[in-house]
Amino acid sequence: MTHSTPTVGIKDVAREAGVSVGTVSNVLNRPGRVSQRTRRHVEQVIARLGYVRSESARQLRAGRSRVMALLVLDMGNPFFVDLAQGAERTARDAGLAVTLCNSAQSARKEAEYLDLFAEQRVRGVLVTPADPSGRSLGDFRRHGIPYVLVDRVAGDTEGCSVSVDDVTGGALAIRHLTGAGHGSIAYVSGPPHLRQVQDRRAGALEAVSQAGLPPTALQEIPTERLDVAAGRDAGARLLGLARRPTAVFCANDLLALGVLQFMYTAGVKVPDDLAIVGYDDIEFAAAATVPLTSVRQPARAMGAMAADLLLQEAGDRADEHRHQHVVLQPELVVRGSSLPGR
């Protein structure tokens, strides 16, 4: 039989220290109101008894949470890990923790998590939306909890956003390939409802047109997911095309790495037989068997900026806050997967 250890409460600390409950509360929450001698004495008692204050009770009294929520599309994608690191660093500097959740590109899961965040009364939410209709975020607004869109431009003035110009990013990838002499290019895309996928395709088509090529020069190979397995499947379909392209642009690096894996097993030489360009420039891109050319997104900077905007809106001067829509510029990082001889 096991016996649970009784929880030490603030009254136990006060009794052991020989002070009032109010004095213990001041030591914990307003130490400046207590003399240094008393504060040290109470802190020693707290350490000896192993007292841990109830965060839920503190939040109830203060009416404010010390937790920021981050809801991403895919925690398996290193891009979102980098983004979370940027957000966590900014939140930690402000004395907040970050709860990281994964919608897995599901509108249903997104709505469920937003409901949970509302119940927990988090300080605010950073979210990369999965619901193209925006319905779940629309419902979330009524709770009065601020949120910032990350990796997505806000379509209204209801909240802030931090994103990257994905149209420009798509154009950078295709200009690089057409500049290397490729006139037949595949675009391995992801779920069509994702704005990022749409914008990268729009930029690709724009660059195809600027190169004097017909729209048919870009063949789209859609995928239901944005992961390595979907990339391998796309690679198999790519080799089965009647008009096989000489280059491929992928909507993210995980897709590109999957294509690269399939080509390696199929005996297709990259970049001699097929040039490959990814998107995000995750850490694994440079470490691939053939280092991957990729369109770099400043993920950590995006997370940090988004968290800072959220802190501004949720802070003591929230009435002075004005919504901002920050759009960062991508950068092409050229490696061996796209240029022969590199």
Side-chain angles (χ1 to χ4, degrees):
M1 181 180 295
T2 58
H3 300 278
S4 60
T5 303
T7 302
V8 176
I10 193 171
K11 291 182 180 179
D12 300 312
V13 174
R15 183 167 53 250
E16 181 72 15
V19 299
S20 68
V21 170
T23 297
V24 178
S25 178
N26 283 335
V27 169
L28 293 170
N29 302 298
R30 296 170 292 276
R33 296 185 179 184
V34 186
S35 70
Q36 186 177 16
R37 180 179 179 182
T38 300
R39 185 169 69 249
R40 286 179 178 174
H41 172 59
V42 172
E43 288 173 346
Q44 288 172 354
V45 172
I46 288 173
R48 185 169 68 250
L49 295 181
Y51 168 74
V52 178
R53 60 173 157 183
S54 169
E55 177 62 16
S56 59
R58 189 204 68 80
Q59 290 180 194
L60 185 62
R61 290 191 300 272
R64 304 180 74 187
S65 169
R66 289 197 298 172
V67 174
M68 177 188 298
L70 172 58
L71 181 57
V72 301
L73 291 176
D74 180 10
M75 285 199 299
N77 188 337
F79 166 77
F80 288 110
V81 175
D82 290 344
L83 191 150
Q85 288 176 343
E88 188 271 338
R89 187 175 298 112
T90 298
R92 186 182 67 238
D93 290 345
L96 272 65
V98 175
T99 294
L100 177 60
C101 298
N102 180 31
S103 71
Q105 304 174 32
S106 166
R108 177 184 59 80
K109 287 185 179 180
E110 175 183 285
E112 291 173 353
Y113 274 122
L114 288 174
D115 285 344
L116 179 62
F117 299 155
E119 291 174 8
Q120 297 296 320
R121 300 301 299 175
V122 298
R123 182 72 65 90
V125 178
L126 307 178
V127 55
T128 302
D131 183 359
S133 72
R135 188 178 302 110
S136 56
L137 276 173
D139 293 341
F140 185 72
R141 289 192 185 107
R142 70 177 186 272
H143 299 293
I145 299 174
Y147 64 84
V148 175
L149 301 189
V150 189
D151 197 28
R152 184 75 55 84
V153 178
D156 51 41
T157 58
E158 295 291 340
C160 293
S161 64
V162 180
S163 63
V164 166
D165 186 344
D166 283 320
V167 175
T168 294
L172 283 173
I174 300 303
R175 288 192 195 113
H176 170 65
L177 292 172
T178 57
H182 296 284
S184 178
I185 304 169
Y187 173 48
V188 177
S189 61
H193 66 272
L194 293 180
R195 182 62 181 267
Q196 297 94 322
V197 171
Q198 297 173 14
D199 285 352
R200 292 165 197 177
R201 178 179 182 273
L205 285 171
E206 179 182 297
V208 165
S209 175
Q210 290 172 349
L213 299 171
T216 54
L218 187 72
Q219 303 180 70
E220 184 168 0
I221 301 177
T223 65
E224 295 182 357
R225 302 177 314 281
L226 290 163
D227 56 25
V228 173
R232 288 195 293 264
D233 176 70
R237 284 185 283 151
L238 191 152
L239 289 189
L241 293 175
R243 183 170 59 90
R244 184 184 300 179
T246 60
V248 57
F249 166 47
C250 299
N252 77 356
D253 283 344
L254 295 183
L255 288 172
L257 291 172
V259 171
L260 181 60
Q261 285 182 7
F262 184 86
M263 296 305 156
Y264 179 81
T265 58
V268 176
K269 295 180 180 179
V270 175
D272 299 314
D273 298 330
L274 182 74
I276 302 176
V277 175
Y279 204 104
D280 289 338
D281 195 32
I282 61 176
E283 185 176 353
F284 299 139
T289 304
V290 179
L292 184 66
T293 294
S294 183
V295 178
R296 175 180 293 166
Q297 296 200 82
R300 288 187 179 88
M302 290 173 65
M305 289 181 183
D308 185 62
L309 288 173
L310 190 61
L311 290 170
Q312 291 178 33
E313 188 172 358
D316 295 331
R317 303 176 67 179
D319 56 333
E320 301 176 12
H321 177 77
R322 297 294 179 269
H323 293 317
Q324 300 178 48
H325 306 297
V326 180
V327 181
L328 304 175
Q329 292 303 307
E331 173 190 0
L332 181 70
V333 180
V334 179
R335 301 190 180 97
S337 70
S338 63
L339 289 180
R342 290 183 67 92

